[in-house]
Structure formats: C-alpha cells, structure tokens
Amino acid sequence: MTHALPGYLCPEDGTRADVRTAPWSCPVCGGPWDLDFTPDPAIALDPAAGPHSLWRYAPALPLPGAFSVTLSEGHTPLIPLGERIHAKLDFLMPTLSFKDRGAVMLAELARRLGPERVVADSSGNAGTSVAAYCARAGLRCEVFVPEGTSEKKTGPMRAHGATVRTVPGGREAAAEAARAAADGPGVFYASHVFNPYFLHGTKTYVYEVWEALGGRLPEVLVVPVGNGTLLLGAALAAAELARRGVRAPVLVGVQAEAVAPLAAAFAAGAQEARPVEERPTLAEGIAIPAPPRARQILAAVRASGGTILTVPDARVREAQRDLARRGLFVEPTAAACWAAVGPGAPSDLLRGRTTVLPLCGAGAKSGLAP
C-alpha cells in the first residue's frame, strides 16, 4: 500500500508533493526534498525485540506496514579507539559501506511504488548498495558512474545485475546523466542526495549508537561530509531522540582539504556553500564540489554547536595505516574522521568528551592509499 507514505516537502519554498507522483526534485526551486514525517515520541522503541536489521527501529521509520527488503543490515559493532573515543564499524554492512542504511529504504520504497526501472549515480559505494538492494527487491537497476571508476567498484554493481553506464567527466557529470534518465516515464531515481527516504535510513546509525550506549548519545559525533547524507541523518535522529528526552550531541563534519566547500562556508559564516574545483584527493568519497544540501548541512552543524574540519591527504594516508595497524582496514574516505581527531591531529576539539566516529567503508574496495 502506498497511500500511507509520508509526502515530500521542499525545505526551501514549502512545496509539497505526493511520493507516488512527485518528480525527483522540487519542481519550483529544483532542490532536494525533505520528508513530511516526524515519528511520534509517545510510541515505544524496543529495538532489542525487533529483527536484526535497521527495521528494528520501525516506529521511527517512514515506511509503515510490512517490509520485505533487507539483507540484515545495521546493528554494527561499537568499539573503543582511544580514551573516550569509539568507532562504529559500518564497513561491516552487507555491501561494506554505511550506504546500505539508505539504500534499503530506497529499495523498499521503490518496491512499493513499482517502477519499470531504478536509476542511481555513484562513484562507488552508493551504486553498489543500490544495485544490491534492487537485486534483493527484484528491481531492474542502472547505475551511472564517472569515467575512470575502478573495476573494484563497478564489478560488484554488475555482479548484482545492475547495468553500469560510464559517463565522460567527473562525479557531477554522472549525476547529471542519471537525473536526465530520471525524468523519463516509469523511472525511480534512487538518489542518496535528493531523496529524503535515504536520510531516514542513515539516521539509524545514531539510533544504533543510542541503543549500544544504553539509551544515551555521546557528547560528540564526528562524521565525514561530502553530500552530507550521514550527517543529516544523524541530525534527524538527534532531533527525534531529543523529543524522547535524550541529550543531543555536537556534530563535527570532516572534509578533504582538497575539496572543502562546506568547511569554507562554515568558516566564513555563510549560510550556503560556493562550488569549488573538483580536485583529486584520497578521500574521493567526500570530494563533492557543490553539495545540493549544503544549506541544511551548515545549519545542522551550527545548531548543534559543532564545526567542520578539513584534513590533508597526508593525514588521511597516515590515519588509514594507523587504523590498519589496529586491525581495522578501511578505505581512505573512512579514515578521514580519524585523521581529524585521532593521534597527532591538530585539533583539540574533543577535549576529553565522549565521541563516536564511523568507519564507513571497507579497505577491500580501495586498497591501501599510495
């Protein structure tokens, strides 16, 4: 049944739309949708009684009724990295990245809407996640990737049955090609940036931290930020849990020094980020020169009392190796947070506060940074 699905709401101009008939972006301003959905804090949350997947938080999720799409995602471990600092091992998800949290929501939504095909754009992790969950849901899938995307990343997409479309140019060129395809009839655009159901999947990251810490949250959440889907999901969860009496954490975003439009805007006190040059960086998963949700990201970080840090490639390389020596082999992008706040980091931002950071992508996908 789709009649009970929460509708889309544009955060910029208030435009509303039915999920069943809406275009992939706001028809007035062209921006990404939010969701007209707020979980009822009076409804009890008892995740331990639920399934071993993110559907254990069903009362807080915007897909009512029975679900069928799952790969037992979520419920990843929380382990100590240092004094008062813990890492959540989201690289242990079914497709080896945190993107599974949002992809399962998009696939379940698409299954209910019944499109002829699903399209997505990605430079790696999101495309693999969408391909895997579309396979699970029995949906035809196409993923648009920028030229030069490695076979380590496109191979799994094809293995899951997705058609991979290679697009000349960079990450934004692939996104533009996917959006052009999304305008066609019978197409569902599984955008991890424009579709807000993805954010309501990534928010389960924080619900799991809350569960693991016995009904509380750490003082600080450090999150890598490119398009900001994990950070915005974290902000959603923090706000929802605050309505249940849980103290909200400070949000700290981390960007690659080479491509840091959000950090520049934050430092300048700007409400919006100016596009920057798309330069090479080891942390390619967060190298987004013009994040569509920049205004929301900046507002969320400021409202929490947080900040946005940058890390150079040399620190990312060092952090990836340091984590590997601790038994945790993650991709360079996933090492960015440890580069920002781990041993030898220039920032004293944490000042002994309890902190959780994600290790959100597996090193098996990228190898060791050169």
Side-chain angles (χ1 to χ4, degrees):
M1 297 290 289
T2 60
H3 66 276
L5 292 173
Y8 293 141
L9 171 66
C10 178
E12 295 297 322
D13 53 46
T15 300
R16 294 177 182 273
D18 189 315
V19 172
R20 295 170 295 181
T21 57
W24 57 265
S25 65
C26 173
V28 176
C29 70
W33 293 112
D34 276 356
L35 207 57
D36 189 10
F37 172 76
T38 302
D40 184 351
I43 298 177
L45 280 178
D46 186 15
H52 190 94
S53 71
L54 59 76
W55 300 111
R56 66 200 284 115
Y57 304 105
L61 297 175
L63 287 169
F67 61 87
S68 67
V69 182
T70 183
L71 290 168
S72 292
E73 59 289 321
H75 208 48
T76 55
L78 194 64
I79 68 166
L81 270 184
E83 187 177 359
R84 300 175 70 83
I85 301 180
H86 281 70
K88 188 159 173 58
L89 308 189
D90 260 24
F91 68 91
L92 299 180
M93 297 285 274
T95 76
L96 310 184
S97 94
F98 86 94
K99 295 289 176 61
D100 290 355
R101 296 186 182 278
V104 65
M105 295 290 288
L106 294 183
E108 176 65 25
L109 175 61
R111 183 192 69 81
R112 298 185 187 195
L113 296 177
E116 295 177 14
R117 62 188 173 122
V118 174
V119 301
D121 56 273
S122 174
S123 58
N125 286 335
T128 300
S129 288
V130 170
Y133 281 94
C134 281
R136 193 67 172 174
L139 297 165
R140 179 185 167 200
C141 179
E142 293 179 64
V143 184
F144 292 78
V145 303
E147 62 181 350
T149 302
S150 73
E151 178 61 26
K152 279 188 176 181
K153 294 183 177 181
T154 60
M157 299 176 200
R158 294 188 178 93
H160 291 308
T163 299
V164 177
R165 308 289 190 193
T166 301
V167 180
R171 180 67 184 80
E172 188 55 33
E176 289 175 0
R179 291 165 193 167
D183 289 328
V187 177
F188 176 83
Y189 183 28
S191 172
H192 58 291
V193 181
F194 279 80
N195 194 301
Y197 277 87
F198 193 94
L199 304 181
H200 284 267
T202 61
K203 77 181 182 185
T204 60
Y205 170 86
V206 170
Y207 274 93
E208 288 180 14
V209 171
W210 165 80
E211 181 184 358
L213 295 180
R216 61 183 178 85
L217 290 174
E219 294 166 277
V220 182
L221 286 171
V222 182
V223 184
V225 182
N227 278 308
T229 55
L230 184 54
L231 186 141
L232 289 173
L236 272 174
E240 292 169 5
L241 287 168
R243 298 185 191 101
R244 296 176 180 268
V246 180
R247 184 176 178 178
V250 169
L251 299 176
V252 175
V254 178
Q255 293 214 281
E257 188 176 85
V259 186
L262 295 164
F266 188 90
Q271 293 184 330
E272 188 58 85
R274 293 182 178 179
V276 299
E277 182 183 353
E278 190 172 356
R279 296 190 293 170
T281 174
L282 293 177
E284 61 183 8
I286 52 174
I288 307 299
R293 292 187 183 270
R295 181 182 291 268
Q296 289 179 293
I297 296 165
L298 293 165
V301 172
R302 290 193 176 109
S304 77
T307 190
I308 301 179
L309 306 175
T310 63
V311 288
D313 274 7
R315 284 285 304 163
V316 171
R317 184 183 295 107
E318 180 183 328
Q320 188 195 29
R321 283 164 168 74
D322 180 73
L323 288 167
R325 287 191 292 269
R326 297 166 186 261
L328 302 165
F329 186 37
V330 300
E331 64 184 8
T333 298
C337 288
W338 191 232
V341 301
S347 174
D348 63 350
L349 177 74
L350 303 185
R351 294 190 297 276
R353 293 187 287 183
T354 57
T355 301
V356 171
L357 58 85
L359 298 180
C360 49
K365 288 187 173 187
S366 63
L368 199 63

